[in-house]
Amino acid sequence: MIVVMKEGATKEDISHVVEKLSEAGVDVHLSRGKFKTLLLVIGDVEQAGSLPLSVCPGVERVVRILKPFKLVSREAHQDDSVVDVGGVPIGGREFIVVGGPCSVESDEQVESAAQGVKKSGGRLLRGGAFKPRTSPYSFQGHGVEGLAMLEKAREATGLPIVTEVMDTRDIPDIAQSADMLQVGARNMQNFVLLKAVGETKMPVLIKRGFANTIEEWLMAAEYVMGAGSRNVVLCERGIRTFETYTRNTLDVSSIPIVKGLSHLPVIVDPSHAAGRADLVEPLALAAMAVGAHGVMIEVHPHPEEAWCDGSQSLTLDAFGSLMDKLRSVAPALGCEIAPKA
Ligand code: PEP
Ligand code: MN
């Protein structure tokens, strides 16, 4: 349920309604727009729904939401949300490119990838220190040492860091090093983890699970926002289908659908969707065309030597030419791309 306050509603009008709602046993989140304040009512709205709130001073109307997600919904916040990640805004006119290796391997590897990403106009550095691997015998990531490598690369380039959290026990370490916490596809419905990352109040990137519906994905974001984070970005990374030419199938339709249902920014990861370096550029262009707010690209100084996901990783040169293509198409689609550094 949402209580829409009138344009001129006073502080007293708002606190009066909040008080009434709290007495009815529900939580109230305030969403302040340019002109109006919305009161988002969370919890069992049975009793709150029967209150005659529409006659309270300053109330414009009371709206019932039938969708299962509330905090993430367009009704809760009509304007697009812009999420600030270490000074980089995701969700505005600028199409944000996140680049970096699948996994952090060495100081030299991360720094060289970060320098290449920065030089071509990439705005954020990705890289896994804690890796979710299908096989327990595969490289699991350097852990805390990997975080230190990412920090050095940030120091050298100024690019804020996005890195994955798999286990709540690692949150204190990762939160200290990273600018944005990533919840991976395999953990999208790990509700304990979602609540714990939300409690940090840090920016959170939620990848869509490869077997999850759009509604389940938005409910994952609802968990994070409900726990306290106001800075959530969604990431479409392909879903599992019967097709075998690609690792996953990029669900391009999910981007405009999510933008209709939610105010949260949404980006695309064409690397994990395709699983093939040759498809990364066309899929990244498709992402921009359907209105994504950015892309996340796996980049490696020597993809043939990568410890993880080399076949889908771009060389620094290929990343540079992808950035040139995106930059030339951007004006036609009403967005902007950062210039080369
Ligand atoms: C990643 O981005 O490093 C990753 C493991 O992706 P996903 O969770 O989408 O598979
Ligand atoms: Mn990867």
Side-chain angles (χ1 to χ4, degrees):
M1 189 171 101
I2 295 178
V3 182
V4 182
M5 302 301 293
K6 286 181 186 157
E7 235 182 278
T10 63
K11 265 195 208 148
E12 290 70 32
D13 293 341
I14 295 171
S15 16
H16 176 68
V17 179
V18 171
E19 205 174 298
K20 290 265 168 228
L21 287 165
S22 305
E23 280 166 19
V26 288
D27 288 332
V28 185
H29 294 250
L30 258 62
S31 169
R32 292 186 199 281
K34 223 182 271 168
F35 303 109
K36 291 178 187 172
T37 296
L38 306 183
L39 310 183
L40 316 177
V41 184
I42 310 291
D44 183 357
V45 294
E46 192 67 33
Q47 202 190 333
S50 60
L51 295 172
L53 297 174
S54 50
V55 296
C56 289
V59 172
E60 184 178 292
R61 69 201 140 96
V62 178
V63 185
R64 286 280 201 160
I65 304 184
L66 298 172
K67 298 191 188 84
F69 39 87
K70 300 177 180 12
L71 297 169
V72 308
S73 74
R74 260 293 162 205
E75 285 89 342
H77 188 86
Q78 265 152 27
D79 303 330
D80 288 350
S81 282
V82 178
V83 171
D84 181 285
V85 184
V88 175
I90 309 184
R93 242 180 93 80
E94 185 183 344
F95 186 85
I96 301 297
V97 180
V98 187
C102 178
S103 65
V104 172
E105 297 167 10
S106 65
D107 281 327
E108 298 71 37
Q109 174 245 17
V110 196
E111 186 168 337
S112 148
Q115 295 287 12
V117 166
K118 161 112 183 182
K119 193 176 106 199
S120 299
R123 299 277 270 139
L124 296 168
L125 172 65
R126 63 146 290 142
F130 297 85
K131 293 301 302 175
R133 303 304 301 275
T134 300
S135 165
Y137 307 114
S138 302
F139 173 57
Q140 305 285 307
H142 282 309
V144 176
E145 287 168 28
L147 295 175
M149 296 175 192
L150 285 167
E151 285 188 63
K152 279 189 213 156
R154 176 178 55 199
E155 225 170 272
T157 58
L159 297 178
I161 300 165
V162 185
T163 196
E164 180 161 352
V165 182
M166 293 201 300
D167 188 322
T168 54
R169 289 171 295 187
D170 301 323
I171 290 178
D173 285 329
I174 302 176
Q176 222 173 20
S177 303
D179 299 279
M180 179 179 227
L181 306 177
Q182 176 174 324
V183 175
R186 290 156 193 80
N187 268 316
M188 193 209 82
Q189 286 192 309
N190 180 338
F191 303 115
V192 176
L193 182 65
L194 292 170
K195 283 192 244 181
V197 294
E199 280 163 13
T200 66
K201 299 195 164 49
M202 285 179 66
V204 179
L205 181 69
I206 307 178
K207 292 208 147 184
R208 178 179 180 183
F210 41 68
N212 286 112
T213 62
I214 291 171
E215 188 165 299
E216 287 164 345
W217 186 21
L218 290 172
M219 291 307 280
E222 187 80 15
Y223 264 99
V224 175
M225 291 193 80
S229 175
R230 284 284 167 272
N231 304 303
V232 177
V233 177
L234 298 161
C235 179
E236 164 64 49
R237 48 78 75 209
I239 50 176
R240 198 167 266 188
T241 68
F242 50 79
E243 184 51 66
T244 54
Y245 276 99
T246 48
R247 182 174 174 182
N248 293 281
T249 297
L250 180 62
D251 181 7
V252 281
S253 53
S254 75
I255 290 94
I257 291 173
V258 160
K259 286 178 72 180
L261 293 171
S262 173
H263 55 90
L264 297 178
V266 55
I267 68 168
V268 167
D269 171 351
S271 307
H272 288 91
R276 294 168 40 171
D278 63 326
L279 294 182
V280 169
E281 182 174 296
L283 296 188
L285 289 163
M288 185 184 263
V290 290
H293 297 103
V295 281
M296 175 183 256
I297 310 281
E298 284 190 338
V299 183
H300 196 289
H302 306 287
E304 71 287 359
E305 290 167 18
W307 298 3
C308 180
D309 287 351
S311 53
Q312 67 197 33
S313 299
L314 298 190
T315 60
L316 302 182
D317 282 350
F319 180 77
S321 65
L322 163 62
M323 291 298 289
D324 289 341
K325 273 258 176 73
L326 288 169
R327 203 172 282 115
S328 64
V329 171
L333 293 164
C335 45
E336 289 158 12
I337 278 245
K340 292 180 195 181

